[in-house]
Amino acid sequence: MLIVNKNNQSDLFYVFLILGRRSMVMCALKLIIANKNYSSWSFRPWIALKAKGIEFEEVFSQFNEETGHKHFAEFSPTKKVPVLQDGDLSVWESLAILEYLAEKFPESGLWPVDVKDRAMARCISNEMHGGFMSLRAECPMNMRRVEEAIPVSDGVGKDVKRITNIWRECLKISGGPFLFGEFSNADAMFAPVVNRIAKYKLSDDPIVERYSSAMTALPAWQEWEEAGKAEPWIVEEDEA
């Protein structure tokens, strides 16, 4: 506790200086994202930050299909979003951002505490990052989309079956409501899948319903969804 001497105004100066520095530290993080209706990769670190109450500045950069998102090169070496900026450091790729946040905020619980759970969480997060190509290609994330089934390939069915088995195994061990009990990076990685399965009516498994209900009840989820639905822009290739 800092005690201010009423007879010494310099103490007040130092109070405001300290508070100002704390505010600067809290707001140092900037997350550059694209359209909330479609950008599944942006959604992942955004919902992790929001769900854990980590302060950050949101910077929006709209998709531009005609130019191949050429303007993304101003802040991203891959011309992709999201990008996390922490002072003069830039971190790109959603999973790398989540790893960085877990290291920067170890008290946040972005990875499970138990070593076995943490290993499992990283395994399924990496599986999500590099897999499920059929589901991602045929059923784009779309917050505005009316729930309606479409013809899908056998590959989508296999992807959904694998995802459902992952959720079933994790929830059986943890007891829920999230994959490892408390919300973690693993949940952030699977967040867009919750939207995809619902919007394209890909499963009626009780496990999917249970987990999806927990995810969509998050205030962070609802904030993103509401903003996505309110966006006026249309990306035709993501309107399956």
Side-chain angles (χ1 to χ4, degrees):
M1 178 182 294
L2 179 62
I3 300 175
V4 179
N5 184 343
K6 294 182 179 179
N7 296 320
N8 189 346
Q9 292 183 351
S10 65
D11 286 346
L12 287 173
F13 170 78
Y14 284 113
V15 169
F16 291 120
L17 180 62
I18 291 169
L19 291 175
R21 285 177 177 172
R22 287 178 180 173
S23 177
M24 289 175 64
V25 170
M26 289 176 65
C27 298
L29 293 178
K30 292 184 180 181
L31 184 68
I32 305 174
I33 64 171
N35 305 43
K36 288 182 177 177
N37 189 55
Y38 303 109
S39 186
S40 59
W41 292 107
S42 296
F43 189 24
R44 292 176 165 104
W46 187 97
I47 196 172
L49 285 161
K50 284 283 184 174
K52 293 299 185 178
I54 299 171
E55 295 288 334
F56 71 102
E57 178 185 346
E58 176 184 314
V59 180
F60 173 73
S61 187
Q62 185 184 339
F63 282 135
N64 188 331
E65 300 296 312
E66 293 182 1
T67 67
H69 320 303
K70 184 178 180 180
H71 60 295
F72 286 175
E74 297 172 8
F75 53 80
S76 172
T78 61
K79 292 198 298 182
K80 295 179 181 179
V81 288
V83 172
L84 182 76
Q85 295 180 340
D86 187 3
D88 61 358
L89 172 67
S90 289
V91 185
W92 60 97
E93 292 290 343
S94 294
L95 189 51
I97 292 172
L98 292 172
E99 288 280 12
Y100 179 77
L101 292 172
E103 290 184 357
K104 186 176 179 68
F105 302 98
E107 74 287 351
S108 66
L110 281 167
W111 288 123
V113 174
D114 181 81
V115 64
K116 291 182 179 179
D117 287 346
R118 192 161 63 251
M120 177 67 170
R122 282 193 164 106
C123 285
I124 64 173
S125 294
N126 276 277
E127 187 175 351
M128 179 69 253
H129 185 269
F132 308 112
M133 294 301 185
S134 295
L135 176 63
R136 285 154 57 176
E138 297 178 41
C139 304
M141 189 182 85
N142 188 327
M143 291 290 167
R144 277 197 306 262
R145 191 179 194 276
V146 175
E147 293 186 7
E148 183 179 11
I150 61 171
V152 295
S153 68
D154 291 342
V156 171
K158 291 178 181 178
D159 285 349
V160 173
K161 182 178 180 181
R162 172 59 185 152
I163 289 166
T164 303
N165 286 338
I166 289 173
W167 293 355
R168 179 177 289 107
E169 180 181 359
C170 290
L171 293 174
K172 181 179 179 180
I173 295 171
S174 72
F178 301 105
L179 296 177
F180 295 90
E182 299 294 325
F183 184 94
S184 72
N185 280 340
D187 300 291
M189 287 300 295
F190 280 91
V193 173
V194 172
N195 172 267
R196 287 178 161 107
I197 291 177
K199 292 299 184 179
Y200 300 93
K201 292 188 172 183
L202 297 174
S203 177
D204 58 3
D205 192 296
I207 285 294
V208 172
E209 173 62 27
R210 174 186 169 189
Y211 180 63
S212 296
S213 294
M215 288 291 286
T216 57
L218 283 169
W221 175 286
Q222 294 169 7
E223 181 182 343
W224 177 281
E225 182 179 44
E226 182 179 354
K229 287 180 176 179
E231 290 178 345
W233 309 290
I234 303 294
V235 178
E236 292 294 343
E237 67 181 45
D238 287 334
E239 291 291 329

